[in-house]
RNA sequence: GCUCCAGUGGCGGAAUCGGUAGACGCGUUGGACUUAAAAUCCAAUUGGGCGUAUAACCCAGUGCCAGUUCAAGUCUGGCCUGGAGCACCA
């Protein structure tokens, strides 16, 4: 072993060796219990960034720790390799997206290996390869068969920049999640997956996810947005085209006696039938204007509300009162029934609208102690029913049920549970994705591609320079085909699938990555899944994580697997910051992992990225911090290299230890206990690393004073070799090099995790804290075995305490065994 | 507006159960070694009483205000600040 630490040299050597010896191969058959550790797989953008380094290091340390604890650990990696950047690069540089993607994967693979990650590369999964997307397409067909995939014409989110539609989940603040440009509405016929069928299950099963943070669970619950209310139906009394009925959804049926008008969304399907000839022109103009607006404008809550009357009227079935119909863009076509009953006195939005257009108001709920006149604001709190016929005097919360029941009994209403979650729009008008396996025949209509004809391969004869349509439509070989039913001419669907489909099941594929007969073997997927620990960024809280839960539930119902939640435990790691801001190219505050590997080595990078903050919190990168970690590894190296002659690999702890030896043995046991607990308890790697330092410091101190008897050498060896094993999940190369230099035959990464002896993992004496009236006044070293009475005596014998309690009365004495005595005096 | 999370030295952060606040590190200051530097090592480092050495002592202190308790960074209630998510969802 060299005197000096040369990380680059030893890291390269061991990476090669691990690869040659297949050190991290995971067998499917093993007596050991399974453990599936998973990082969210990367998009092959070109280069790793520090967020990747953090994510993969965290998971890698978990995987290695679990392996040493005796688990058969599955720790795979793959590539989320369909998506727009490849296509954009193709357009810009004339490169083929497949080639661009392959190059990026090759480079990033090299980087992952340089980080020393313990992946089983035999299970690598790449979503853009036909052998993978064949099964993505196959799964689509299963969804289709089950009625969970359907096509419909709808107002959808459109991004001009990306020239494609987007799912609701991909619109952030009215902007595209990828390019940040403003999203528009377009009417298009598109493919959807019926995630709404699973809304209730997706919501309820959140309770099962004990291993998920509350933040993610509440975000998903809010997104699903369950509410309970009623559908009430209103007869239109003067529609130009005969009798009509308008159903509305409301969570406030208790306010039904206070309705003074009714609003339908500008996109409401029957709006034309509800408009009188006199109002037609104004209504048309209003609707045209609404269509032009962007989502941001449309949904802005501080915009002044606008609307126009339709000229027709409804009857309130509770009161017989007649009230007008309006259209206004504060009613949303996609939620509820697209129509709203308006009660200005008890809803802020209706109040603002009624004020503006001078519509009447009627108070139906009142707080008897402090009645509101509803002149300046709506009264939205609880109260007692007034002006509500037979319901007068009832509490409004009780009236919700009572009034709905009346509507049910009399045939104009029903109880209704409503969700905000919408179906998942999965069509994309882009090339670089899995083609939707469907053909359109003039005679037979929509026909799924037979499973035997999968995969539907992406064509290569395409022109990426086209504007305004998907490059795939320029292929001469792709579009024209024959109908699988009648054999007549037909054309293929040219839309591809949202990449989030590919990532909704990739983690299952790891269980059987090379299967060419099936998407995976059922026994294997049931053996390895659910994922025991999933690690990734919070940005997927309601995208990937919700979609994957939906896929799992749907696939369970299809009989493909037997579990109903994919990820048992979820760790959402914080962002990597530099100078307090998120690292980004535009801000110019990025740190290139390659440079860190080159200057300090991967072990330093791994150690540092775990050292300063707990994994869930944001991490501020600092050059001084890296330097500090590098120095620490040097210090560890020196500790071993300068004392090599005193280390016995097959040490035996002496039976009769001297006091000094004893202390080091205790310190090691305490470190083992502390580190094991810190990892087990939510992966607190930052404190794990502080304990590495404490132990290293303690060994240095001890070695300084040691007389090198045989016993001392054995104790020292125990300490050094334990330190190496404890550090091996983090400093993977350094510990391996030391381990082998000291005479080991097998890899340190195949060793068992250190065990501690509870009797040795504590100090022989304790510090007795003496408080007077709750304030610490003295600390006394005492023997651990002291009884409570003895502790009290020791406390009272303290000179400091004597002085403080002199002339005072001891009211009470509290003794906490092995810890403290509190004297309450007056 | 609603929901969730967080707030501790100059900085990152530590503190199973309510029981020694500030572990470990970064930075800073002083010192040793060196012709010099780097590296390394030693010491100090919450604020104040207190710009002197030594040894000690006292007071205050975990965003703010209350409360529970012998004892609160930790529990309860009410705020303030920051971050994240949702948001005209009837």
């Amino acid at each position: 072993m060299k005197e000096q630490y040369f990380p680059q040299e030893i890291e390269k050597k061991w990476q090669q060796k691990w690869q040659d010896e297949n050190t991290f191969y995971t067998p499917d058959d093993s007596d050991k219990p399974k453990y599936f550790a998973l990082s969210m797989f990367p998009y092959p953008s070109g280069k790793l960034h520090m967020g990747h380094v953090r994510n993969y290091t965290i998971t890698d340390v978990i995987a290695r720790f679990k392996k040493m604890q005796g688990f058969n650990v599955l720790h795979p990696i793959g590539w989320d390799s369909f998506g727009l950047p490849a296509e954009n690069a193709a357009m810009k540089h004339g490169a083929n997206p497949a080639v661009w993607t392959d190059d990026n994967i090759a480079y990033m693979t090299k980087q992952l290996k340089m980080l020393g990650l313990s992946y089983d590369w035999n299970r690598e999964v790449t979503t853009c390869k036909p052998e993978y997307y064949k099964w993505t397409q196959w799964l689509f067909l299963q969804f289709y068969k089950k009625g969970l995939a359907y096509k419909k014409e709808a107002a959808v989110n459109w991004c001009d920049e990306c020239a494609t539609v987007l799912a609701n989940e991909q619109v952030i603040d009215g902007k595209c999640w990828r390019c940040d440009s403003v999203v528009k509405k377009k009417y298009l016929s598109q493919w959807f997956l019926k995630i709404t069928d699973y809304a209730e299950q997706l919501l309820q099963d959140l309770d099962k996810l004990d291993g998920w943070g509350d933040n993610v669970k509440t975000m998903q619950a809010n997104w699903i947005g369950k509410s309970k209310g009623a559908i009430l139906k209103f007869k239109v009394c003067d529609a130009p085209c005969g009798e009509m009925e308008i159903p509305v959804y409301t969570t406030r049926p208790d306010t039904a006696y206070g309705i003074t008008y009714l609003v339908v969304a500008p996109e409401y399907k029957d709006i034309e039938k509800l408009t009188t000839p006199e109002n037609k022109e104004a209504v048309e103009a209003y609707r045209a204007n609404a269509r032009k607006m962007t989502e941001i404008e449309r949904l802005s809550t501080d915009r002044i509300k606008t609307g126009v009357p339709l000229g027709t009227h409804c009857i309130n079935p509770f009161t017989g009162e007649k009230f007008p119909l309006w259209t206004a863009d504060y009613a949303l076509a996609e939620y509820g029934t697209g129509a709203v009953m308006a009660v200005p006195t008890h809803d802020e939005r209706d109040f603002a609208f009624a004020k503006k257009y001078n519509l009447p108001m009627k108070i139906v709920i009142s707080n008897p102690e402090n009645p509101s006149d509803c002149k300046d604001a709506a009264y939205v709190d609880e109260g007692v029913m007034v002006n509500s016929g037979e319901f007068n005097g009832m509490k409004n919360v009780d009236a919700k049920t009572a009034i709905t029941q009346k509507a049910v009994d009399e045939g104009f209403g029903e109880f209704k549970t409503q969700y905000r979650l919408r179906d998942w729009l999965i069509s994309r008008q882009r090339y670089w994705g899995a083609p939707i396996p469907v053909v359109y025949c003039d005679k037979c209509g929509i026909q799924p591609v037979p499973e035997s004809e999968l995969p539907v391969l992406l064509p290569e004869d395409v022109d990426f320079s086209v504007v305004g349509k998907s490059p795939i439509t320029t292929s001469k070989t792709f579009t024209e085909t024959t109908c699988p039913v009648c054999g007549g001419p037909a054309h293929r669907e040219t839309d591809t699938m949202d990449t989030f489909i590919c990532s909704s099941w990739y983690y299952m594929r790891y269980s059987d990555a090379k299967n060419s007969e099936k998407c995976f073997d059922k026994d294997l997927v049931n053996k390895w899944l659910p994922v025991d620990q999933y690690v990734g960024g919070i940005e997927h809280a309601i995208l990937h994580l919700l979609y994957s839960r939906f896929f799992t539930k749907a696939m369970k119902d299809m009989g493909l697997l037997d579990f109903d939640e994919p990820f048992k435990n979820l760790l959402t790691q914080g962002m990597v910051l530099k100078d307090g801001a998120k690292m980004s190219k535009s801000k110019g505050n990025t740190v290139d992992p390659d440079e860190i590997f080159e200057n300090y080595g991967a072990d330093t990078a791994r150690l540092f990225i775990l050292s300063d903050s707990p994994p869930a919190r944001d991490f501020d990168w600092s050059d001084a911090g890296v330097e500090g970690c590098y120095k620490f590894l040097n210090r560890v190296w020196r500790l071993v290299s300068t004392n090599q002659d005193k280390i016995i690999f097959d040490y035996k702890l002496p039976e009769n230890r001297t006091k000094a030896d004893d202390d080091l043995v205790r310190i090691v046991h305490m470190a083992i206990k502390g580190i094991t607990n810190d990892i087990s308890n939510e992966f607190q790697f930052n404190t794990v690393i502080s304990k590495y330092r404490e132990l290293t410091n303690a060994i240095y101190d001890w070695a300084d004073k040691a007389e090198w008897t045989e016993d001392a050498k054995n104790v020292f060896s125990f300490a050094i070799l334990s330190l190496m094993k404890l550090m091996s999940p983090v400093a993977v190369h350094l510990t391996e090099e030391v381990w082998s230099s000291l005479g080991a035959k097998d890899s340190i990464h195949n060793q068992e995790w250190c065990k501690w002896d509870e009797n040795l993992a504590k100090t022989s004496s304790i510090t007795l804290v003496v408080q007077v009236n709750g304030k610490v006044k003295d600390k006394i070293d005492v023997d651990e075995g002291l009884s409570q009475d003895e502790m009290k005596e020791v406390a009272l014998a303290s000179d400091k305490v004597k002085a403080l309690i002199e002339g005072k009365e001891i009211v009470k004495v509290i003794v906490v065994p092995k810890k403290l005595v509190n004297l309450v005096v007056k």
Side-chain angles (χ1 to χ4, degrees):
Chain A
M1 188 175 167
K2 290 183 181 168
E3 285 282 309
Q4 234 193 316
Y5 173 51
F6 293 114
Q8 296 79 0
E9 198 181 300
I10 63 173
E11 290 184 358
K12 215 171 173 183
K13 173 175 109 189
W14 286 108
Q15 283 158 13
Q16 189 59 49
K17 196 148 190 219
W18 293 331
Q19 183 169 321
D20 295 345
E21 295 178 0
N22 223 352
T23 307
F24 303 114
Y25 170 75
T26 306
D28 285 321
D29 301 316
S30 167
D31 300 335
K32 298 173 181 173
K34 71 97 182 178
Y35 190 91
F36 190 173
L38 184 65
S39 296
M40 289 181 187
F41 68 161
Y43 178 79
S45 54
K47 260 191 161 192
L48 291 188
H49 56 66
M50 280 302 167
H52 291 128
V53 172
R54 189 176 194 198
N55 191 165
Y56 308 148
T57 303
I58 290 168
T59 315
D60 190 51
V61 175
I62 294 170
R64 288 166 181 273
F65 172 68
K66 288 291 174 184
K67 185 179 177 191
M68 292 177 87
Q69 279 198 322
F71 289 89
N72 185 29
V73 173
L74 176 57
H75 183 217
I77 191 72
W79 307 96
D80 187 11
S81 50
F82 270 138
L84 258 187
E87 206 168 326
N88 290 340
M91 287 192 277
K92 223 180 183 174
H93 311 298
N96 185 313
V99 173
W100 183 87
T101 302
D102 282 347
D103 287 351
N104 287 348
I105 289 176
Y107 188 80
M108 290 170 81
T109 300
K110 206 179 99 195
Q111 287 186 303
L112 292 176
K113 288 185 176 168
M114 281 173 78
L115 236 192
L117 300 168
S118 61
Y119 294 128
D120 180 357
W121 286 96
N122 298 297
R123 294 172 186 265
E124 185 177 3
V125 157
T126 308
T127 60
C128 68
K129 301 284 178 204
E131 55 268 30
Y132 182 85
Y133 73 71
K134 172 178 180 177
W135 300 110
T136 305
Q137 291 174 336
W138 183 83
L139 284 168
F140 173 87
L141 294 178
Q142 310 315 304
F143 276 77
Y144 182 79
K145 270 192 221 161
K146 273 255 173 185
L148 290 171
Y150 66 96
K151 202 175 189 199
K152 75 166 178 193
E153 168 109 7
V156 295
N157 306 301
W158 177 267
C159 173
D160 269 336
E161 180 75 24
C162 299
T164 185
V165 297
L166 299 168
N168 286 320
E169 288 79 7
Q170 291 161 352
V171 180
I172 315 286
D173 291 333
K175 294 177 186 167
C176 172
W177 69 294
R178 199 196 291 280
C179 71
D180 228 27
S181 47
V182 173
V183 168
K184 283 186 192 163
K185 283 282 179 202
K186 256 196 180 182
Y187 279 86
L188 289 170
S189 180
Q190 300 282 293
W191 285 95
F192 289 83
L193 292 192
K194 238 178 183 174
I195 191 170
T196 52
D197 271 13
Y198 287 85
E200 186 60 34
Q201 260 195 68
L202 287 166
L203 182 68
Q204 273 186 15
D205 288 355
L206 287 173
D207 288 342
K208 291 188 193 168
L209 297 173
D210 298 330
W212 287 38
D214 282 340
N215 52 344
V216 179
K217 286 194 279 188
T218 39
M219 277 162 76
Q220 290 209 358
N222 288 343
W223 187 260
I224 295 166
K226 181 178 181 174
S227 71
K228 282 185 179 168
I231 297 272
L232 299 176
K233 294 173 197 155
F234 297 91
K235 281 211 167 71
V236 185
C237 57
D238 49 6
C241 52
E243 253 188 40
M244 282 192 72
E245 207 174 51
I246 301 179
V248 306
Y249 172 73
T250 180
T251 53
R252 295 298 305 274
D254 52 320
T255 61
Y257 284 76
I259 300 170
T260 55
Y261 64 102
L262 196 146
V263 179
V264 299
E267 300 85 4
Y268 193 73
K269 58 184 188 319
D270 292 328
I271 192 164
E272 282 165 25
K273 295 183 206 157
L274 294 166
T275 308
T276 59
E278 303 82 62
N279 294 59
K280 199 174 173 194
E281 199 179 321
V283 169
E284 273 310 311
Y286 186 77
R287 294 178 69 204
N289 193 42
R291 241 182 323 239
K292 273 196 301 203
M293 265 188 274
T294 65
E295 278 297 274
I296 296 183
E297 288 167 337
R298 175 76 190 267
L299 294 176
S300 163
T301 46
D302 28 68
R303 214 175 103 236
I304 292 165
K305 291 186 174 32
T306 58
V308 290
L310 302 182
T312 51
H313 297 81
C314 282
I315 303 290
N316 185 334
F318 293 97
T319 62
E321 286 166 336
K322 193 171 152 185
F323 54 81
L325 266 162
W326 286 63
T327 182
D329 61 12
Y330 80 90
L332 305 174
E334 314 94 75
Y335 184 74
T337 63
V340 187
M341 63 179 223
V343 186
T345 45
H346 305 297
D347 182 281
E348 284 165 9
R349 294 151 302 181
D350 299 342
F351 182 86
F353 192 79
K355 272 271 169 196
K356 180 169 179 198
Y357 293 103
N358 265 324
L359 293 159
M361 301 194 188
K362 182 180 166 193
I363 294 172
V364 291
I365 293 165
S366 180
N367 177 355
E369 275 146 45
N370 182 21
S372 161
D373 58 8
C374 296
K375 286 265 153 58
D376 302 314
Y379 179 75
V380 295
D381 297 329
E382 290 180 9
V384 172
M385 304 293 291
V386 294
N387 295 324
S388 297
E390 65 201 84
F391 300 101
N392 282 342
M394 197 183 262
K395 281 187 186 164
N396 77 302
V397 277
D398 300 330
K400 285 184 181 184
T401 313
I403 288 185
T404 309
Q405 190 58 53
K406 180 182 165 87
V408 171
D409 293 344
E410 297 183 13
F412 57 87
E414 60 190 83
F415 288 93
K416 169 81 177 170
T417 302
Q418 183 72 39
Y419 301 89
R420 279 212 310 244
L421 183 71
R422 316 275 158 84
D423 275 338
W424 176 11
L425 197 175
I426 59 151
S427 309
R428 295 293 178 272
Q429 289 70 48
R430 305 300 318 193
Y431 170 79
W432 194 232
I436 296 174
V438 157
V439 300
Y440 301 98
C441 169
D442 286 343
K443 264 193 258 166
C444 313
I446 297 177
Q447 289 301 332
V449 172
E451 289 178 16
S452 59
E453 288 176 24
L454 296 182
V456 175
L457 289 169
L458 276 171
E460 289 180 21
D461 58 333
V462 295
D463 175 7
F464 289 103
S465 63
V466 293
V467 182
K469 57 180 180 176
S470 166
I472 208 167
T473 59
T474 65
S475 166
K476 293 192 177 68
T477 55
F478 185 80
T479 318
E480 298 313 317
T481 183
T482 50
C483 172
V485 177
C486 69
H491 60 277
R492 280 190 197 283
E493 169 67 63
T494 53
D495 284 354
T496 53
M497 286 185 242
D498 183 1
T499 56
F500 279 96
I501 301 261
C502 308
S503 58
S504 289
W505 74 283
Y506 79 99
Y507 47 92
M508 301 171 182
R509 180 73 177 173
Y510 287 135
S511 69
D512 196 9
K514 288 181 174 150
N515 198 328
S516 56
E517 306 297 316
K518 293 185 256 181
C519 54
F520 44 70
D521 180 84
K522 191 172 175 182
D523 288 339
L524 284 173
V525 84
N526 285 333
K527 175 195 161 69
W528 284 111
L529 282 267
V531 172
D532 292 278
Q533 185 63 55
Y534 201 22
V535 183
I538 185 82
E539 66 273 17
H540 287 293
I542 41 182
L543 285 156
H544 165 61
L545 290 169
L546 187 65
Y547 294 146
S548 296
R549 293 183 61 224
F550 162 53
F551 254 62
T552 302
K553 289 175 192 305
M555 287 167 78
K556 187 189 177 199
D557 289 345
M558 292 168 196
L560 295 170
L561 42 83
D562 291 335
F563 48 93
D564 57 9
E565 282 292 339
F567 314 122
K568 210 156 137 196
N569 296 292
L570 173 71
L571 172 61
T572 49
Q573 109 246 6
M575 287 186 298
V576 181
L577 313 175
K578 178 86 194 290
D579 311 319
K582 187 179 181 178
M583 279 191 190
S584 74
K585 278 182 200 152
S586 56
K587 287 199 201 80
N589 61 345
T590 55
V591 176
D592 185 354
D594 283 343
E595 276 175 35
I596 303 296
F597 299 158
E598 200 178 306
N599 296 334
Y600 301 98
D603 282 349
T604 295
R606 295 170 60 106
L607 185 76
F608 176 55
I609 204 93
L610 298 175
S611 67
D612 269 4
S613 300
R617 236 185 276 182
D618 285 349
F619 177 89
D620 209 340
W621 184 276
S622 82
D623 297 336
V626 183
E627 199 70 44
C629 286
Y630 185 61
K631 283 182 186 173
F632 171 65
L633 289 182
N634 272 286
R635 191 168 145 79
V636 172
W637 183 270
R638 254 190 335 270
L639 175 63
V640 183
S641 67
T642 57
N643 291 298
Q644 279 182 80
D645 55 323
K646 290 145 199 151
I647 299 171
I648 308 155
F649 190 75
D650 300 309
Y651 66 87
K652 272 210 179 71
L653 280 183
E655 297 283 331
N656 304 313
R657 298 174 204 137
T658 66
K659 181 77 170 74
D661 293 340
D662 214 17
D663 275 351
L664 187 59
V665 172
R666 274 180 204 285
I667 288 167
V668 173
H669 277 271
M670 278 167 30
I672 296 169
K673 180 181 175 178
I675 288 167
T676 310
N677 287 344
D678 283 357
I679 300 178
S680 308
N681 179 25
E682 297 187 49
F683 309 114
Q684 292 182 47
F685 296 121
N686 54 330
T687 56
V688 167
I689 286 160
S690 72
K691 287 180 173 96
Y692 291 163
R693 292 177 186 271
E694 283 175 10
L695 180 56
T696 305
N697 292 345
I699 299 175
Y700 261 109
D701 287 350
W702 183 90
D704 255 3
K705 296 176 205 132
E707 285 173 35
W708 293 103
T709 60
E710 273 312 294
D711 279 1
K713 285 183 186 173
N714 277 290
V715 167
F716 181 72
S717 304
F718 164 66
I720 293 287
L721 294 168
S722 299
L723 176 65
M724 287 306 112
K725 281 201 269 183
L726 292 170
M727 285 183 67
S728 68
V730 179
V732 297
H733 308 91
L734 179 146
T735 54
E736 183 81 305
E737 174 70 15
V738 169
W739 192 251
S740 108
S741 307
L742 293 178
K745 304 250 159 22
D746 193 13
S747 167
I748 193 167
H749 303 299
N750 291 330
Q751 302 308 305
E752 251 182 63
W753 187 248
C754 303
K755 294 198 172 72
W756 75 90
D757 178 336
E758 198 61 51
N759 288 318
L760 289 173
K762 59 189 174 193
T763 48
S764 52
S765 73
I766 56 155
T767 306
L768 175 67
V769 175
V770 185
Q771 297 181 331
V772 175
N773 288 343
K775 300 207 168 179
V776 179
K777 294 297 173 185
D778 203 0
K779 298 168 191 177
I780 308 159
D781 278 344
V782 296
D783 194 76
E784 193 197 358
L786 242 51
S787 72
Q788 298 202 13
D789 283 343
E790 285 167 326
M791 285 171 68
K792 189 171 154 185
E793 272 170 44
V794 171
L796 288 169
S798 154
D799 290 339
K800 288 176 195 167
V801 171
K802 271 187 200 163
L804 278 160
I805 61 174
E806 208 189 332
K808 291 180 181 162
E809 185 198 346
I810 299 178
V811 188
K812 203 172 175 185
V813 180
I814 283 136
V815 181
V816 182
K818 295 180 187 179
K819 256 194 189 138
L820 99 171
V821 174
N822 187 13
L823 305 164
V824 185
V825 299
K826 250 202 306 212

